[in-house]
Amino acid sequence: MERKGLIQRLPTEQVKQGAALLGLLALTVLAIAGPTGLLVWSEKATALEQREAQIAVLVKQRDDLKNRVMLLDPNNADPDMVGEELRRNLNVVHPDEVVLVLPESEN
């Protein structure tokens, strides 16, 4: 009788251990190759660096635009900036002035 009970219990223990082993294997595979696994981690780090570089460029552009807005404020406009904008937009030049055209990247 004892032997029969032992034989019936063994398969259930083996099934439980097998299921636990499969669960651990699944977690290991997900930790390595899953959507947030080690293989994807370096790709995400590279993408993060690219995004940070883009953000730095955009922040510089925003700061430049803020400065232009401040210089063109109607209540306290910078005369040099106003003159520059008038000449650029209305193509107005004094007879004794020389116009130098700079590429947009240097402006």
Side-chain angles (χ1 to χ4, degrees):
M1 283 278 201
E2 251 179 71
R3 188 173 163 89
K4 188 176 181 185
L6 182 64
I7 291 174
Q8 287 177 351
R9 274 189 270 152
L10 280 178
T12 58
E13 289 295 322
Q14 288 176 349
V15 168
K16 288 179 184 177
Q17 289 177 356
L21 181 62
L22 285 175
L24 286 173
L25 287 174
L27 287 175
T28 303
V29 168
L30 285 174
I32 293 172
T36 58
L38 295 174
L39 298 178
V40 180
W41 192 38
S42 63
E43 293 174 15
K44 289 189 178 187
T46 304
L48 177 63
E49 289 175 4
Q50 291 172 350
R51 296 293 188 262
E52 287 174 344
Q54 288 175 344
I55 288 171
V57 168
L58 292 173
V59 165
K60 184 179 179 337
Q61 288 176 353
R62 183 195 65 197
D63 291 343
D64 291 344
L65 288 172
K66 276 184 178 179
N67 187 36
R68 285 186 73 81
V69 167
M70 184 184 72
L71 292 174
L72 291 172
D73 179 25
N75 296 325
N76 191 17
D78 180 37
D80 291 334
M81 181 63 76
V82 171
E84 178 184 331
E85 286 297 317
L86 283 174
R87 286 179 181 83
R88 180 182 300 139
N89 293 329
L90 299 177
N91 294 325
V92 177
V93 180
H94 290 278
D96 60 343
E97 289 182 331
V98 177
V99 176
L100 299 176
V101 180
L102 298 174
E104 283 296 320
S105 62
E106 293 181 12
N107 246 352

